[in-house]
């Protein structure tokens, strides 16, 4: 199969129409049925596949960087019959398990990023539902701050997956339904088993939407509201966005490289070695104006984008890779210097968004079904933001040798939080409060044994032990059951409190993935398999 | 005793007198229905005596009692046809099992959807035809219009009965919604598109009763096969009344065609000179209403239709007598589809094409009437013939709706369609002209100049009978 590229730009969108008026961005879903990402299905009735969502993710990403002046985002549809009929069922029906899982994960990450960006950039997001809005379509609506529904006796919101498809609704919609919108659980229960969903008044009464209006005044009412939102957010009309250019990637002899990092694939060993090379900070921009002038070539932004692109490529195009080895190359002074530029200029919208993006990318890494080991060796520069990357790994091996050091900074104390809103240090040291406190504010250079004492690395190993143990640990890791590891890692990585986002992914990974392999969904007589076919599903009735 | 049945005013065979739940639901709904009828029913004739047919029982002859009645006092009733002696499900995965007399829980949603969609068309057509009485070409036609209207009202009752009896609170909510939606209203339109199209004059009315009500016949007939017995019996009885609506449409068009042919001859080819309707305008009207009515059958390839069939909810037209295999799990049907801008034939699993199977039956039926009209033209020694456009032309639903076709069914460009659309479809100019020639004719026995008289009167009455007392 052709590898999937996650890179796209507005000139190549096939499924979305963009319309910017003043400080309001409107995006209209307008899926071209004849351009599915893979052959074998048509994207009828504004249903979507990964290709549609890659464009949406690109839109959200560009809103973050290219349109800092906007005050509201309206998501609507240009389809005359429906708003969105959700994920394309025929696509799901013919897709492999891993494709379905990656699809659901990616679409959820897009929705989470939409939510994160809206909160971080203080942009009000409104889903204007004009027509039936089902399944993943309602999930998209749920990811907005507000849902407006046309009250025309036809437009409805629904999560029909349980009655129609025998799978979990809305790629995670249930969490957003009861946790985010706080719809009562018994009402949610009724809603989720009713294929046609709820229209107008009942949808409003049960809290499934925030506003209803008849067609004749819908647009006018919405426009008034958008004007009001804009007035409440003065002073951003002069902001100038930057342009996100394409990411240049070379793939030569199994090494996929871009300007800030390379990934060396060894498929026979089922490993990939990520190496991030940190450039000298001398000559780096020192004022917000200089950072803006550098735009998408500013190194921290480049790194975040390229690392994300590499992770997405790993997930979808590199089946069989079980372990990623994370390495860095450069000077601690340089990485801490780059970090300092961001830390000092917080409050500038661009700098803030770079920090948010970096946060998002490291979280994305933690949600990747792959083992991660960080190796801290000679020439490594795991400081600040890069140390955070190491802390996101399942294990950290550090060579105990003269000159091998790490260093904490403010980046490790809340600027790059986990999905669960706590820091990685807090997550690591949940049961070691004193150790955590002694870590806080300690920004000195740390050698291996100190780092180990501080709970920052898994093992500090001298030259001989390192050479003995690390290769064995790698071999052992890739020999274990990949399913078991995926489950084990997902359970160990997110210790501590839960929040909406962690629940979305936790529930999704656990339950949807389970349902996806159950015969009642995907067996020869399963509901998902038979959807759209003349036969009816035949369920095994035992509750497992 | 309940208010609704105190005077025995509601003819029924569903034991209304003994069904408290049904009485209670009707008590609430009846005033709303009357309000709707007075607001949206035929405008200007609510106090007149009209010679109408009322169904008072299901016995032979009981469904056709003729007398003068004021429309708001019409005795709308609730009737189920007698039970089928076999009482087994006639098709789908439950073939041969006993029919359901109560709703099977797993199909409740689908059944509700089927019933609400059918029910919504009944009041919609009354709304569409609301002002036609004021421009009726004769008392005979005016009476037929009102007969159709009150019976559509009764059909609404029939469906509402099912909602009340089997769907509890949800059913009551839906029944109320049926009275809130309005044909052509931007904010609360009727569910199906054809029922939101304006019906401003009698050519459209006859086309509507011929083509659109005929869709109703096929929908009702396929629901009359349903494994849910009360639905099957309700629809079965509705079909007896529907036949008259189709007669009104078919004979009305035939009379217009006949008169247009006469005027064409008399005026050397331009009936407009004599206030008549040109044959090409009739053709445009047929093109318009036939294609809108085709949309009502739903998508050519439909998993809903496959489910409804598999579940035993909605069968095919005359399922028992016309088909041998009632399960049809295997088998395919050829459906021409547009692929890469070419029409190619593709094999689709049969059950997914059930809508198209029904559409085939419908088109055959329409063709039959067409032959009759063409015989009329033949007799008048005119060379013009009425034709049916391709099922791909001018569609708003289904696999052809995103492509442009000419009336012969050939793929054309959007520009070509736009350029010819006034030539192929009833246009604003036509509608303006048609409204301009239609004036109320109230002298008993007299006809407007653009339509020929019918062959005979209603219920054996002469043509100059006073069908409506004005």
């Amino acid at each position: 199969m052709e590898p999937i590229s996650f890179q796209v730009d507005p000139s190549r969108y096939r499924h979305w129409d963009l319309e910017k008026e003043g400080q309001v961005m409107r995006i209209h879903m307008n899926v071209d049925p004849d351009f599915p990402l893979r052959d074998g299905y048509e994207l009828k009735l504004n249903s979507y596949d990964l290709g549609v969502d890659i464009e949406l993710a690109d839109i959200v990403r560009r809103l973050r960087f290219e349109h800092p002046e906007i005050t509201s985002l309206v998501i609507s549809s240009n389809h005359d019959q429906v708003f969105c009929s959700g994920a394309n069922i025929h696509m799901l029906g013919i897709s492999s398990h891993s494709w379905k899982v990656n699809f659901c994960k990616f679409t959820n990450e897009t929705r989470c990023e939409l939510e994160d960006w809206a909160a971080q950039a203080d942009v009000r997001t409104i889903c204007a539902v004009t027509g039936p809005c089902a399944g993943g379509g309602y999930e998209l609506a749920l990811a907005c701050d507000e849902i407006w529904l046309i009250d025309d006796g036809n437009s409805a919101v629904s999560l029909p997956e349980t009655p129609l498809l025998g799978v979990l609704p809305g790629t995670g919609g249930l969490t957003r339904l009861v946790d985010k919108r706080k719809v009562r659980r018994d009402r949610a229960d009724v809603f989720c088993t009713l294929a046609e969903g709820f229209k107008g008044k009942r949808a409003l009464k049960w809290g499934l939407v925030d506003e209803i209006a008849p067609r004749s005044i819908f647009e006018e009412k919405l426009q008034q509201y958008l004007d009001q939102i804009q007035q409440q957010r003065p002073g951003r009309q002069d902001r100038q966005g930057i342009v996100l250019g394409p990411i240049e990637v070379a793939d030569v002899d199994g090494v996929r490289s871009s300007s800030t990092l390379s990934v060396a694939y060894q498929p026979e060993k089922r490993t990939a070695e990520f190496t991030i090379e940190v450039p000298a900070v001398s000559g780096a921009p020192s004022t917000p104006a200089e950072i803006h002038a550098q735009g998408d070539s500013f190194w921290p932004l480049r790194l975040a984008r390229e690392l994300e692109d590499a992770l997405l490529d790993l997930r979808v195009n590199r089946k069989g890779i079980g372990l990623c080895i994370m390495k860095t190359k450069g000077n601690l002074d340089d990485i801490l210097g780059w970090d300092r530029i961001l830390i000092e200029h917080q409050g500038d919208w661009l700098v803030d968004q770079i920090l948010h993006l970096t946060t998002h990318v490291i979280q994305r890494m933690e949600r990747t079904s792959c083992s991660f080991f960080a190796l801290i060796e000679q020439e490594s520069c795991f400081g600040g933001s890069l140390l955070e990357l190491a802390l996101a790994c399942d294990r950290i091996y550090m060579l105990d040798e003269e000159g091998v050091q790490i260093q904490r900074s403010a980046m490790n104390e809340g600027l790059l939080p986990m999905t669960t809103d706590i820091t990685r240090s807090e997550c690591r040291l949940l049961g070691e409060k004193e150790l955590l406190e002694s870590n806080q504010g300690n920004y000195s250079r740390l050698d291996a044994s100190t780092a180990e004492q501080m709970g920052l690395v898994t093992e500090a190993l001298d030259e001989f032990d390192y050479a003995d143990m690390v290769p064995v640990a790698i071999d052992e890791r890739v020999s274990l059951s990949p399913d078991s590891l995926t489950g084990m890692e997902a359970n160990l990585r997110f210790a501590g409190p839960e929040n909406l986002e962690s629940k979305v992914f936790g529930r999704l990974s656990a339950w949807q993935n389970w349902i996806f392999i159950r015969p009642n969904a995907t067996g020869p007589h399963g509901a998902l398999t038979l959807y759209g076919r003349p036969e009816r599903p035949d369920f095994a009735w035992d509750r497992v | 005793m309940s208010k609704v049945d105190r005077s025995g005013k509601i003819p029924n065979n569903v034991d209304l007198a003994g069904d408290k739940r049904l009485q209670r639901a009707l008590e609430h709904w009846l005033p709303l229905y009357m309000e709707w009828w007075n607001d949206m029913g035929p405008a200007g004739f609510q106090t007149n005596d009209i010679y109408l047919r009322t169904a008072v029982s299901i016995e032979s002859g009981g469904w056709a009692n003729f007398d003068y009645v004021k429309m708001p006092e019409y005795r709308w009733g609730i009737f189920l046809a007698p039970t089928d002696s076999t009482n087994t499900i006639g098709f789908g995965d439950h073939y041969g099992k006993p029919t359901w007399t109560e709703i099977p829980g797993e199909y409740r949603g689908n059944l509700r959807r089927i019933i609400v969609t059918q029910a919504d068309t009944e009041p919609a057509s009354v709304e569409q035809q609301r002002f036609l009485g004021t421009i009726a070409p004769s008392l005979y036609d005016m009476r037929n219009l009102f007969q159709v209207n009150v019976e559509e009202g009764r059909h609404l009752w029939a469906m509402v009965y099912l909602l009340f009896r089997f769907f509890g609170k949800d059913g009551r909510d839906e029944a109320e919604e049926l009275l809130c939606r309005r044909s052509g209203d931007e904010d609360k339109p009727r569910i199906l598109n054809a029922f939101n199209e304006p019906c401003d004059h009698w050519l459209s009315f006859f086309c509507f009763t011929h083509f659109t009500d005929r869709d109703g016949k096929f929908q009702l007939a396929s629901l009359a096969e349903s494994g849910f017995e009360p639905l099957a019996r309700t629809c079965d009885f509705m079909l007896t009344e529907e036949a008259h609506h189709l007669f009104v449409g078919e004979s009305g068009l035939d009379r217009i065609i006949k008169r247009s042919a006469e005027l064409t001859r008399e005026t050397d080819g331009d009936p407009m000179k004599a206030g008549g309707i040109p044959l090409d305008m009739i053709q445009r009207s047929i093109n318009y209403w036939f294609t809108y009515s085709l949309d009502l059958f739903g998508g050519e390839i439909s998993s809903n239709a496959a489910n409804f069939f598999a579940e035993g909810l909605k069968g095919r037209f005359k399922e028992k007598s016309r088909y041998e295999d009632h399960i049809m799990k295997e088998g395919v049907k050829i459906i021409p589809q547009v692929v890469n801008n070419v029409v190619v034939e593709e094999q689709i699993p049969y059950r997914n094409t059930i809508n198209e199977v029904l559409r085939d039956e419908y088109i055959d039926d329409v063709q039959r009437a067409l032959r009759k009209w063409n015989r009329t033209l033949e007799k008048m020694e005119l060379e013009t013939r009425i034709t049916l456009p391709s099922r791909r032309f001018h569609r708003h639903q289904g696999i052809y709706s995103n492509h442009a076709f000419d009336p012969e069914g050939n793929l054309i460009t959007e520009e070509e369609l736009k350029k010819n659309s006034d030539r192929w479809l009833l246009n604003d100019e036509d509608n303006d002209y048609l409204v301009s020639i239609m004036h109320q004719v109230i002298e008993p026995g007299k006809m407007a100049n653009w339509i020929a008289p019918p062959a005979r009167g209603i219920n054996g009455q002469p043509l100059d009978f006073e069908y409506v007392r004005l």
Side-chain angles (χ1 to χ4, degrees), chain B residues 36 40 123-130 181-183 190:
Chain B
W36 168 81
M40 297 311 296
S125 63
V126 175
E127 292 161 1
Q128 283 170 298
Q129 298 158 10
R130 170 149 206 256
R181 286 187 283 270
R182 290 286 181 273
S183 173
R190 291 293 170 184

Side-chain angles (χ1 to χ4, degrees), chain B residues 242-276:
Chain B
E242 203 69 34
H244 175 256
H245 306 187
L246 302 180
F247 161 78
V248 168
E250 186 174 329
S251 63
L253 281 173
D254 191 45
R255 288 160 56 210
I256 292 183
I257 288 166
K258 188 172 171 214
R259 184 62 186 148
S260 292
E262 285 167 7
L263 291 173
T264 303
R265 291 179 64 87
E266 285 169 22
T267 57
D268 283 333
D270 186 8
M272 282 167 90
K273 279 189 208 156

Side-chain angles (χ1 to χ4, degrees), chain A residues 33-34 42 44 79-81 90 150-154 164 194-197 199 201-202 205 213-217 530-536, chain B residues 93 107 109 112-113 169-170 173-174 177 181 186-189 191 301 303 306-307 310-311 328-329 337 349-352 396-397 399 401-402:
Chain A
D34 299 328
E42 273 180 278
K44 287 181 185 169
H79 195 285
D80 53 4
Q81 286 166 35
H90 302 285
I150 282 201
D151 184 18
D152 62 357
N154 178 42
L164 291 188
L194 200 65
E196 76 256 36
K199 291 178 258 188
K201 290 182 194 73
R202 191 150 183 211
K205 192 176 166 198
R215 188 173 295 273
S216 57
I217 59 163
L530 292 182
Y531 182 77
R533 298 223 205 134
E535 308 102 284
R536 305 280 309 145
Chain B
D93 293 345
Y107 303 145
R112 191 174 101 182
R113 188 162 151 197
K169 183 172 171 293
D170 289 350
D173 289 348
E174 293 284 6
E177 285 290 309
R181 286 187 283 270
E186 185 193 9
D187 288 337
K188 30 184 187 171
I191 296 171
I301 303 162
S303 38
N307 288 342
E311 292 163 357
M328 293 307 296
K329 225 172 196 165
Q337 293 199 65
Y350 184 88
R351 280 186 179 183
N352 291 57
H396 299 83
Q397 291 282 332
I399 56 175
S401 61
N402 288 326

Side-chain angles (χ1 to χ4, degrees), chain A residues 163-220:
Chain A
L164 291 188
L165 307 170
V167 298
L168 204 60
T171 64
L174 299 184
T175 299
R176 284 196 175 84
L177 200 62
V178 288
D179 267 64
K180 181 182 179 182
R181 292 197 65 87
K182 305 192 168 43
V183 173
R184 249 169 49 191
R185 56 168 282 195
D186 51 349
R187 289 179 160 180
D189 184 289
V190 172
F191 174 66
C192 293
T193 52
L194 200 65
E196 76 256 36
F198 288 147
K199 291 178 258 188
K201 290 182 194 73
R202 191 150 183 211
L204 182 67
K205 192 176 166 198
W206 282 28
L208 301 165
V209 302
D210 300 284
E211 193 76 57
I212 57 172
R215 188 173 295 273
S216 57
I217 59 163
F218 187 85
E219 187 48 44
E220 189 192 331

Side-chain angles (χ1 to χ4, degrees), chain A residues 363-503:
Chain A
Q363 290 176 359
R364 202 154 213 173
M365 179 179 138
E366 287 168 311
R367 287 193 295 261
T368 300
S369 301
C370 201
S371 304
F372 288 88
F373 286 1
L375 298 188
I376 305 175
E377 303 168 337
Q378 291 292 353
E379 293 189 17
S380 287
C381 55
F382 283 99
S385 55
L386 290 187
L387 176 60
E388 201 63 18
L389 204 66
L391 294 172
C393 291
D394 298 300
R395 295 185 196 176
I396 305 173
Y397 289 104
M398 186 167 178
L399 178 61
D400 192 355
E401 208 172 72
E402 180 79 29
V404 181
Q405 291 178 312
I406 59 172
Q407 189 170 345
R408 298 180 75 261
S409 80
M411 286 288 188
N412 309 108
E413 296 184 353
L415 288 177
L416 304 171
M418 292 182 67
T419 295
T420 47
D421 291 329
I422 60 173
T423 67
R424 288 183 181 77
S425 299
E426 286 169 325
C427 179
R428 275 180 100 71
L429 302 173
L430 264 184
E432 292 164 278
K433 213 169 161 224
E434 279 168 27
L435 198 53
L436 177 66
E437 276 164 15
S438 72
N439 264 293
Q440 305 286 60
N442 181 348
Y443 300 159
S444 55
R445 296 279 164 102
L446 307 169
D447 60 24
S449 60
T450 316
E452 191 182 28
Q453 282 164 23
M454 287 172 67
L456 289 171
V457 301
T458 314
E459 292 205 70
L461 300 167
D462 69 23
E463 184 187 0
F464 301 107
D465 283 346
Y466 194 91
D468 280 346
M469 287 183 67
V470 173
V472 172
I474 291 171
D475 284 352
E476 180 200 53
R477 187 65 164 201
V478 297
S479 73
L480 298 171
S481 157
D483 296 339
S484 169
L485 287 175
T486 296
M488 182 191 92
E489 289 157 1
N491 276 277
L492 299 181
R493 284 177 188 172
F494 304 99
E498 288 261 19
N499 63 359
L500 180 102
E501 210 165 298
S502 71
K503 280 189 190 174

